[in-house]
Amino acid sequence: MDVYEDPATWTARPVRPRWQLALRFAGSVVWFPVVCVLWAAVVAAFLVVGMFAEVVTAFSNTLERGYLRAMEVMVNRVGRLASWCVSWPELRHEGDTDYYKARVDKAVAKRTARASAPVEPNKPRPPVECAIPLRAYRGVGGWYVAEVALAQGWELRPTDVRKEVRLWWSAASKAA
């Protein structure tokens, strides 16, 4: 297995204190709906502005690309406001390695089923790249994701294991 970073970073994240998780969960219950409303408002504002800008974008590809890039940046920034939130399963299963192993197995199996699906006519090709987020493997570490993925035919891509593990479906190059 190729390791793109220090192997020590591929281990499980330390267990967070229960009181800290409970405090974050309480804050999440209040903050997450606010972020959802803010996200919807940003998207709605961009859609309204986009309707009026449609006339100009018909003549200018540069404006359209800039508009779409600005929309993507804003939506991602608003989404990151909730990155510290803790979900109920995270609160309940912090430190439970069996739970996180099952979560990783399910996530990789789901992506494997998608990537290995046959190509249907007039449909987009199945995705050949994916990223398993830290929330899915926090209790077992990125090395477990790599083991499971490699066993199912995936290859590792350069990744920041503190955020996600990036994978590429190796059978895609053989089929193309």
Side-chain angles (χ1 to χ4, degrees), residues 2-176:
D2 291 330
V3 177
Y4 296 100
E5 287 187 7
D6 179 22
T9 62
W10 286 74
T11 60
R13 305 291 292 175
V15 177
R16 298 172 285 186
R18 190 99 170 139
W19 65 269
Q20 182 187 35
L21 287 175
L23 193 60
R24 281 185 173 194
F25 178 73
S28 300
V29 169
V30 174
W31 180 242
F32 190 70
V34 172
V35 171
C36 289
V37 169
L38 182 62
W39 186 86
V42 167
V43 169
F46 270 102
L47 288 176
V48 168
V49 170
M51 286 190 296
F52 294 112
E54 185 67 29
V55 174
V56 177
T57 59
F59 303 109
S60 171
N61 286 338
T62 307
L63 178 65
E64 183 176 8
R65 274 185 262 127
Y67 175 79
L68 290 175
R69 179 170 290 158
M71 182 175 173
E72 180 182 1
V73 167
M74 284 303 297
V75 167
N76 288 341
R77 281 187 183 171
V78 170
R80 261 186 272 141
L81 291 175
S83 64
W84 61 268
C85 291
V86 173
S87 66
W88 178 249
E90 286 177 305
L91 178 64
R92 286 186 47 224
H93 297 288
E94 182 72 14
D96 182 2
T97 57
D98 292 334
Y99 171 78
Y100 281 101
K101 283 182 179 182
R103 225 173 145 170
V104 167
D105 292 341
K106 182 179 175 183
V108 173
K110 177 181 165 186
R111 285 167 173 85
T112 301
R114 276 192 208 158
S116 62
V119 178
E120 296 179 26
N122 299 327
K123 297 272 182 155
R125 297 182 64 84
V128 296
E129 288 192 46
C130 72
I132 309 292
L134 175 64
R135 287 185 180 225
Y137 64 85
R138 139 172 232 102
V140 290
W143 65 269
Y144 185 75
V145 176
E147 282 182 358
V148 170
L150 291 172
Q152 294 187 26
W154 291 91
E155 292 180 7
L156 288 174
R157 286 289 173 233
T159 186
D160 183 2
V161 78
R162 294 167 296 178
K163 296 178 184 174
E164 64 188 8
V165 173
R166 299 201 51 76
L167 304 169
W168 181 73
W169 184 245
S170 58
S173 63
K174 296 172 188 143

